[in-house]
Amino acid sequence: MSNESILLKLDAQGFEKRILEGAQQSIDKINCIQIELSFQPLYGGSSNYLEMINYLDTLGFEICGIEPGFQDNKTGKLYQFDGFFISKRLNHLFK
């Protein structure tokens, strides 16, 4: 394992999963991921937040925080948020 702390930040208008699929050779070098997640798919072919959380879990990452993002100012309804994920390889640091 590298001593570097690599954070991958993704905000790709619904293409986040495709980017992660293309990053398979590098995924074990990434310690943290910040990714835009949607409660409902807002772009054609994009995944909703549950699909992405489950997909990131299969890649070895668990959610450790959220930050509100895009919301309707009139209704207060939240449509998107940033999810912060940490590699399960780092779990020993938090025990």
Side-chain angles (χ1 to χ4, degrees):
M1 178 168 39
S2 171
N3 289 333
E4 298 178 63
S5 293
I6 298 175
L7 165 70
L8 175 63
K9 183 179 186 307
L10 292 174
D11 182 352
Q13 309 313 114
F15 289 97
E16 289 83 2
K17 186 173 182 185
R18 289 184 187 168
I19 292 169
L20 289 167
E21 289 169 344
Q24 293 301 307
Q25 292 181 350
S26 301
I27 207 78
D28 62 337
K29 297 174 183 151
I30 298 168
N31 294 329
C32 302
I33 297 175
Q34 179 182 353
I35 187 169
E36 185 177 72
L37 301 170
S38 299
F39 285 110
Q40 302 174 37
L42 298 177
Y43 309 102
S46 64
S47 302
N48 71 29
Y49 76 104
L50 288 175
E51 292 166 335
M52 286 305 299
I53 290 171
N54 289 329
Y55 180 66
L56 284 161
D57 183 65
T58 67
L59 296 179
F61 292 85
E62 61 187 8
I63 194 162
C64 62
I66 63 170
E67 181 176 278
F70 174 61
Q71 79 182 87
D72 185 318
N73 289 333
K74 291 181 183 178
T75 66
K77 184 174 182 178
L78 184 64
Y79 291 100
Q80 291 181 318
F81 61 96
D82 277 359
F84 296 87
F85 293 79
I86 190 162
S87 172
K88 294 176 186 177
R89 297 184 321 272
L90 303 177
N91 278 342
H92 69 281
L93 300 175
F94 302 100
K95 293 184 179 184

